[in-house]
PDB file of all heavy atoms in Angstrom:
ATOM      1  N   ASP P   1    -152.028  -9.989-123.732  1.00  0.00           N
ATOM      2  CA  ASP P   1    -152.027 -11.186-122.896  1.00  0.00           C
ATOM      3  C   ASP P   1    -150.639 -11.795-122.759  1.00  0.00           C
ATOM      4  O   ASP P   1    -150.340 -12.453-121.760  1.00  0.00           O
ATOM      5  CB  ASP P   1    -152.993 -12.240-123.452  1.00  0.00           C
ATOM      6  CG  ASP P   1    -154.446 -11.851-123.273  1.00  0.00           C
ATOM      7  OD1 ASP P   1    -154.765 -11.171-122.277  1.00  0.00           O
ATOM      8  OD2 ASP P   1    -155.270 -12.223-124.142  1.00  0.00           O
ATOM      9  N   TRP P   2    -149.783 -11.605-123.754  1.00  0.00           N
ATOM     10  CA  TRP P   2    -148.448 -12.237-123.724  1.00  0.00           C
ATOM     11  C   TRP P   2    -147.530 -11.578-122.693  1.00  0.00           C
ATOM     12  O   TRP P   2    -146.519 -12.187-122.302  1.00  0.00           O
ATOM     13  CB  TRP P   2    -147.798 -12.203-125.107  1.00  0.00           C
ATOM     14  CG  TRP P   2    -148.661 -12.760-126.192  1.00  0.00           C
ATOM     15  CD1 TRP P   2    -149.020 -12.132-127.352  1.00  0.00           C
ATOM     16  CD2 TRP P   2    -149.300 -14.045-126.233  1.00  0.00           C
ATOM     17  NE1 TRP P   2    -149.837 -12.936-128.100  1.00  0.00           N
ATOM     18  CE2 TRP P   2    -150.016 -14.129-127.435  1.00  0.00           C
ATOM     19  CE3 TRP P   2    -149.325 -15.139-125.356  1.00  0.00           C
ATOM     20  CZ2 TRP P   2    -150.767 -15.242-127.795  1.00  0.00           C
ATOM     21  CZ3 TRP P   2    -150.078 -16.252-125.705  1.00  0.00           C
ATOM     22  CH2 TRP P   2    -150.779 -16.307-126.906  1.00  0.00           C
ATOM     23  N   THR P   3    -147.854 -10.388-122.237  1.00  0.00           N
ATOM     24  CA  THR P   3    -147.011  -9.691-121.257  1.00  0.00           C
ATOM     25  C   THR P   3    -147.714  -9.480-119.920  1.00  0.00           C
ATOM     26  O   THR P   3    -147.179  -8.818-119.041  1.00  0.00           O
ATOM     27  CB  THR P   3    -146.564  -8.325-121.805  1.00  0.00           C
ATOM     28  OG1 THR P   3    -147.716  -7.551-122.170  1.00  0.00           O
ATOM     29  CG2 THR P   3    -145.664  -8.491-123.028  1.00  0.00           C
ATOM     30  N   GLU P   4    -148.878 -10.073-119.755  1.00  0.00           N
ATOM     31  CA  GLU P   4    -149.706  -9.793-118.586  1.00  0.00           C
ATOM     32  C   GLU P   4    -149.371 -10.699-117.397  1.00  0.00           C
ATOM     33  O   GLU P   4    -149.131 -11.891-117.554  1.00  0.00           O
ATOM     34  CB  GLU P   4    -151.180  -9.974-118.952  1.00  0.00           C
ATOM     35  CG  GLU P   4    -152.167  -9.581-117.867  1.00  0.00           C
ATOM     36  CD  GLU P   4    -152.222  -8.090-117.631  1.00  0.00           C
ATOM     37  OE1 GLU P   4    -151.955  -7.316-118.578  1.00  0.00           O
ATOM     38  OE2 GLU P   4    -152.511  -7.689-116.492  1.00  0.00           O
ATOM     39  N   GLU P   5    -149.340 -10.129-116.194  1.00  0.00           N
ATOM     40  CA  GLU P   5    -149.334 -10.895-114.956  1.00  0.00           C
ATOM     41  C   GLU P   5    -150.773 -10.931-114.459  1.00  0.00           C
ATOM     42  O   GLU P   5    -151.268  -9.954-113.909  1.00  0.00           O
ATOM     43  CB  GLU P   5    -148.412 -10.269-113.901  1.00  0.00           C
ATOM     44  CG  GLU P   5    -148.340 -11.090-112.619  1.00  0.00           C
ATOM     45  CD  GLU P   5    -147.504 -10.441-111.524  1.00  0.00           C
ATOM     46  OE1 GLU P   5    -147.480  -9.188-111.458  1.00  0.00           O
ATOM     47  OE2 GLU P   5    -146.868 -11.165-110.747  1.00  0.00           O
ATOM     48  N   PHE P   6    -151.459 -12.063-114.638  1.00  0.00           N
ATOM     49  CA  PHE P   6    -152.887 -12.123-114.361  1.00  0.00           C
ATOM     50  C   PHE P   6    -153.198 -12.177-112.862  1.00  0.00           C
ATOM     51  O   PHE P   6    -154.184 -11.607-112.418  1.00  0.00           O
ATOM     52  CB  PHE P   6    -153.507 -13.334-115.062  1.00  0.00           C
ATOM     53  CG  PHE P   6    -153.371 -13.315-116.562  1.00  0.00           C
ATOM     54  CD1 PHE P   6    -152.571 -14.240-117.217  1.00  0.00           C
ATOM     55  CD2 PHE P   6    -154.039 -12.374-117.315  1.00  0.00           C
ATOM     56  CE1 PHE P   6    -152.438 -14.230-118.592  1.00  0.00           C
ATOM     57  CE2 PHE P   6    -153.920 -12.342-118.706  1.00  0.00           C
ATOM     58  CZ  PHE P   6    -153.101 -13.277-119.343  1.00  0.00           C
ATOM     59  N   LEU P   7    -152.383 -12.915-112.099  1.00  0.00           N
ATOM     60  CA  LEU P   7    -152.669 -13.127-110.672  1.00  0.00           C
ATOM     61  C   LEU P   7    -154.100 -13.612-110.475  1.00  0.00           C
ATOM     62  O   LEU P   7    -154.803 -13.217-109.546  1.00  0.00           O
ATOM     63  CB  LEU P   7    -152.411 -11.847-109.865  1.00  0.00           C
ATOM     64  CG  LEU P   7    -150.972 -11.320-109.863  1.00  0.00           C
ATOM     65  CD1 LEU P   7    -150.894  -9.958-109.179  1.00  0.00           C
ATOM     66  CD2 LEU P   7    -150.019 -12.313-109.204  1.00  0.00           C
ATOM     67  N   ALA P   8    -154.526 -14.510-111.354  1.00  0.00           N
ATOM     68  CA  ALA P   8    -155.906 -14.982-111.385  1.00  0.00           C
ATOM     69  C   ALA P   8    -155.948 -16.291-112.169  1.00  0.00           C
ATOM     70  O   ALA P   8    -154.963 -16.667-112.823  1.00  0.00           O
ATOM     71  CB  ALA P   8    -156.803 -13.930-112.050  1.00  0.00           C
ATOM     72  N   PRO P   9    -157.063 -17.025-112.127  1.00  0.00           N
ATOM     73  CA  PRO P   9    -157.173 -18.271-112.906  1.00  0.00           C
ATOM     74  C   PRO P   9    -157.330 -18.002-114.403  1.00  0.00           C
ATOM     75  O   PRO P   9    -158.362 -18.304-115.008  1.00  0.00           O
ATOM     76  CB  PRO P   9    -158.392 -18.967-112.294  1.00  0.00           C
ATOM     77  CG  PRO P   9    -159.179 -17.879-111.682  1.00  0.00           C
ATOM     78  CD  PRO P   9    -158.216 -16.831-111.229  1.00  0.00           C
ATOM     79  N   ILE P  10    -156.307 -17.433-114.974  1.00  0.00           N
ATOM     80  CA  ILE P  10    -156.233 -17.111-116.402  1.00  0.00           C
ATOM     81  C   ILE P  10    -154.826 -17.470-116.870  1.00  0.00           C
ATOM     82  O   ILE P  10    -153.851 -17.203-116.168  1.00  0.00           O
ATOM     83  CB  ILE P  10    -156.475 -15.603-116.665  1.00  0.00           C
ATOM     84  CG1 ILE P  10    -157.827 -15.156-116.122  1.00  0.00           C
ATOM     85  CG2 ILE P  10    -156.353 -15.285-118.151  1.00  0.00           C
ATOM     86  CD1 ILE P  10    -157.997 -13.640-116.114  1.00  0.00           C
ATOM     87  N   ILE P  11    -154.706 -18.071-118.057  1.00  0.00           N
ATOM     88  CA  ILE P  11    -153.392 -18.375-118.603  1.00  0.00           C
ATOM     89  C   ILE P  11    -153.390 -18.098-120.102  1.00  0.00           C
ATOM     90  O   ILE P  11    -154.389 -18.332-120.792  1.00  0.00           O
ATOM     91  CB  ILE P  11    -152.985 -19.846-118.322  1.00  0.00           C
ATOM     92  CG1 ILE P  11    -151.500 -20.071-118.622  1.00  0.00           C
ATOM     93  CG2 ILE P  11    -153.873 -20.839-119.088  1.00  0.00           C
ATOM     94  CD1 ILE P  11    -150.964 -21.398-118.100  1.00  0.00           C
ATOM     95  N   ALA P  12    -152.301 -17.557-120.599  1.00  0.00           N
ATOM     96  CA  ALA P  12    -152.116 -17.334-122.028  1.00  0.00           C
ATOM     97  C   ALA P  12    -151.420 -18.561-122.617  1.00  0.00           C
ATOM     98  O   ALA P  12    -150.459 -19.066-122.047  1.00  0.00           O
ATOM     99  CB  ALA P  12    -151.289 -16.077-122.270  1.00  0.00           C
ATOM    100  N   ILE P  13    -151.919 -19.048-123.761  1.00  0.00           N
ATOM    101  CA  ILE P  13    -151.375 -20.262-124.380  1.00  0.00           C
ATOM    102  C   ILE P  13    -151.000 -19.966-125.826  1.00  0.00           C
ATOM    103  O   ILE P  13    -151.809 -19.419-126.592  1.00  0.00           O
ATOM    104  CB  ILE P  13    -152.382 -21.429-124.336  1.00  0.00           C
ATOM    105  CG1 ILE P  13    -152.782 -21.733-122.889  1.00  0.00           C
ATOM    106  CG2 ILE P  13    -151.806 -22.672-125.002  1.00  0.00           C
ATOM    107  CD1 ILE P  13    -153.827 -22.819-122.750  1.00  0.00           C
ATOM    108  N   LYS P  14    -149.775 -20.352-126.192  1.00  0.00           N
ATOM    109  CA  LYS P  14    -149.304 -20.115-127.555  1.00  0.00           C
ATOM    110  C   LYS P  14    -148.557 -21.340-128.072  1.00  0.00           C
ATOM    111  O   LYS P  14    -147.718 -21.910-127.372  1.00  0.00           O
ATOM    112  CB  LYS P  14    -148.383 -18.895-127.599  1.00  0.00           C
ATOM    113  CG  LYS P  14    -147.968 -18.478-129.013  1.00  0.00           C
ATOM    114  CD  LYS P  14    -147.208 -17.155-128.992  1.00  0.00           C
ATOM    115  CE  LYS P  14    -146.976 -16.641-130.413  1.00  0.00           C
ATOM    116  NZ  LYS P  14    -146.328 -15.308-130.413  1.00  0.00           N
ATOM    117  N   VAL P  15    -148.860 -21.726-129.289  1.00  0.00           N
ATOM    118  CA  VAL P  15    -148.100 -22.762-129.982  1.00  0.00           C
ATOM    119  C   VAL P  15    -146.938 -22.082-130.699  1.00  0.00           C
ATOM    120  O   VAL P  15    -147.143 -21.110-131.439  1.00  0.00           O
ATOM    121  CB  VAL P  15    -148.988 -23.533-130.980  1.00  0.00           C
ATOM    122  CG1 VAL P  15    -148.146 -24.479-131.823  1.00  0.00           C
ATOM    123  CG2 VAL P  15    -150.069 -24.313-130.219  1.00  0.00           C
ATOM    124  N   VAL P  16    -145.725 -22.576-130.452  1.00  0.00           N
ATOM    125  CA  VAL P  16    -144.529 -21.948-131.021  1.00  0.00           C
ATOM    126  C   VAL P  16    -143.793 -22.943-131.909  1.00  0.00           C
ATOM    127  O   VAL P  16    -143.832 -24.158-131.688  1.00  0.00           O
ATOM    128  CB  VAL P  16    -143.579 -21.427-129.921  1.00  0.00           C
ATOM    129  CG1 VAL P  16    -144.221 -20.272-129.160  1.00  0.00           C
ATOM    130  CG2 VAL P  16    -143.175 -22.531-128.959  1.00  0.00           C
ATOM    131  N   ASP P  17    -143.106 -22.402-132.877  1.00  0.00           N
ATOM    132  CA  ASP P  17    -142.398 -23.227-133.862  1.00  0.00           C
ATOM    133  C   ASP P  17    -140.979 -23.529-133.402  1.00  0.00           C
ATOM    134  O   ASP P  17    -140.005 -22.983-133.924  1.00  0.00           O
ATOM    135  CB  ASP P  17    -142.395 -22.527-135.216  1.00  0.00           C
ATOM    136  CG  ASP P  17    -141.867 -23.423-136.337  1.00  0.00           C
ATOM    137  OD1 ASP P  17    -141.856 -24.666-136.159  1.00  0.00           O
ATOM    138  OD2 ASP P  17    -141.478 -22.887-137.392  1.00  0.00           O
ATOM    139  N   GLY P  18    -140.868 -24.367-132.373  1.00  0.00           N
ATOM    140  CA  GLY P  18    -139.562 -24.850-131.944  1.00  0.00           C
ATOM    141  C   GLY P  18    -138.940 -24.043-130.820  1.00  0.00           C
ATOM    142  O   GLY P  18    -139.472 -23.026-130.351  1.00  0.00           O
ATOM    143  N   LEU P  19    -137.758 -24.500-130.413  1.00  0.00           N
ATOM    144  CA  LEU P  19    -137.042 -23.927-129.275  1.00  0.00           C
ATOM    145  C   LEU P  19    -136.652 -22.476-129.508  1.00  0.00           C
ATOM    146  O   LEU P  19    -136.779 -21.632-128.614  1.00  0.00           O
ATOM    147  CB  LEU P  19    -135.801 -24.772-128.972  1.00  0.00           C
ATOM    148  CG  LEU P  19    -134.915 -24.305-127.819  1.00  0.00           C
ATOM    149  CD1 LEU P  19    -135.668 -24.309-126.501  1.00  0.00           C
ATOM    150  CD2 LEU P  19    -133.667 -25.200-127.722  1.00  0.00           C
ATOM    151  N   ASP P  20    -136.158 -22.159-130.700  1.00  0.00           N
ATOM    152  CA  ASP P  20    -135.739 -20.787-130.992  1.00  0.00           C
ATOM    153  C   ASP P  20    -136.898 -19.810-130.821  1.00  0.00           C
ATOM    154  O   ASP P  20    -136.739 -18.730-130.251  1.00  0.00           O
ATOM    155  CB  ASP P  20    -135.177 -20.680-132.413  1.00  0.00           C
ATOM    156  CG  ASP P  20    -133.790 -21.304-132.541  1.00  0.00           C
ATOM    157  OD1 ASP P  20    -133.035 -21.286-131.547  1.00  0.00           O
ATOM    158  OD2 ASP P  20    -133.460 -21.816-133.618  1.00  0.00           O
ATOM    159  N   ALA P  21    -138.064 -20.206-131.325  1.00  0.00           N
ATOM    160  CA  ALA P  21    -139.245 -19.340-131.212  1.00  0.00           C
ATOM    161  C   ALA P  21    -139.673 -19.183-129.759  1.00  0.00           C
ATOM    162  O   ALA P  21    -140.107 -18.101-129.346  1.00  0.00           O
ATOM    163  CB  ALA P  21    -140.387 -19.905-132.050  1.00  0.00           C
ATOM    164  N   ALA P  22    -139.554 -20.260-128.975  1.00  0.00           N
ATOM    165  CA  ALA P  22    -139.915 -20.193-127.558  1.00  0.00           C
ATOM    166  C   ALA P  22    -138.997 -19.232-126.816  1.00  0.00           C
ATOM    167  O   ALA P  22    -139.455 -18.381-126.041  1.00  0.00           O
ATOM    168  CB  ALA P  22    -139.847 -21.587-126.939  1.00  0.00           C
ATOM    169  N   ILE P  23    -137.698 -19.364-127.048  1.00  0.00           N
ATOM    170  CA  ILE P  23    -136.728 -18.488-126.383  1.00  0.00           C
ATOM    171  C   ILE P  23    -136.956 -17.035-126.790  1.00  0.00           C
ATOM    172  O   ILE P  23    -136.938 -16.127-125.952  1.00  0.00           O
ATOM    173  CB  ILE P  23    -135.287 -18.940-126.699  1.00  0.00           C
ATOM    174  CG1 ILE P  23    -135.012 -20.299-126.037  1.00  0.00           C
ATOM    175  CG2 ILE P  23    -134.270 -17.895-126.219  1.00  0.00           C
ATOM    176  CD1 ILE P  23    -133.693 -20.927-126.447  1.00  0.00           C
ATOM    177  N   ASP P  24    -137.206 -16.816-128.072  1.00  0.00           N
ATOM    178  CA  ASP P  24    -137.439 -15.451-128.556  1.00  0.00           C
ATOM    179  C   ASP P  24    -138.692 -14.855-127.928  1.00  0.00           C
ATOM    180  O   ASP P  24    -138.692 -13.695-127.503  1.00  0.00           O
ATOM    181  CB  ASP P  24    -137.560 -15.455-130.080  1.00  0.00           C
ATOM    182  CG  ASP P  24    -137.764 -14.053-130.640  1.00  0.00           C
ATOM    183  OD1 ASP P  24    -136.838 -13.220-130.536  1.00  0.00           O
ATOM    184  OD2 ASP P  24    -138.857 -13.781-131.183  1.00  0.00           O
ATOM    185  N   HIS P  25    -139.760 -15.654-127.843  1.00  0.00           N
ATOM    186  CA  HIS P  25    -140.996 -15.163-127.241  1.00  0.00           C
ATOM    187  C   HIS P  25    -140.779 -14.803-125.770  1.00  0.00           C
ATOM    188  O   HIS P  25    -141.208 -13.734-125.318  1.00  0.00           O
ATOM    189  CB  HIS P  25    -142.097 -16.223-127.350  1.00  0.00           C
ATOM    190  CG  HIS P  25    -143.390 -15.803-126.708  1.00  0.00           C
ATOM    191  ND1 HIS P  25    -144.392 -15.137-127.391  1.00  0.00           N
ATOM    192  CD2 HIS P  25    -143.842 -15.937-125.429  1.00  0.00           C
ATOM    193  CE1 HIS P  25    -145.397 -14.883-126.559  1.00  0.00           C
ATOM    194  NE2 HIS P  25    -145.095 -15.368-125.368  1.00  0.00           N
ATOM    195  N   ILE P  26    -140.118 -15.682-125.040  1.00  0.00           N
ATOM    196  CA  ILE P  26    -139.879 -15.431-123.608  1.00  0.00           C
ATOM    197  C   ILE P  26    -139.020 -14.183-123.410  1.00  0.00           C
ATOM    198  O   ILE P  26    -139.349 -13.312-122.599  1.00  0.00           O
ATOM    199  CB  ILE P  26    -139.231 -16.664-122.948  1.00  0.00           C
ATOM    200  CG1 ILE P  26    -140.230 -17.818-122.906  1.00  0.00           C
ATOM    201  CG2 ILE P  26    -138.744 -16.324-121.541  1.00  0.00           C
ATOM    202  CD1 ILE P  26    -139.622 -19.150-122.504  1.00  0.00           C
TER     203      ILE P  26
END
């Protein structure tokens, strides 16, 4: 789900531990 392009009413949601984790995930 973290790498999927859904093109549909679906969204992946993740709680991340700060800015560094967000940038790393993206």
Side-chain angles (χ1 to χ4, degrees):
D1 289 328
W2 308 125
T3 56
E4 186 70 28
E5 183 184 32
F6 299 112
L7 298 173
I10 302 169
I11 192 168
I13 302 177
K14 187 172 188 176
V15 172
V16 293
D17 189 20
L19 179 62
D20 286 329
I23 292 172
D24 182 66
H25 178 91
I26 292 170

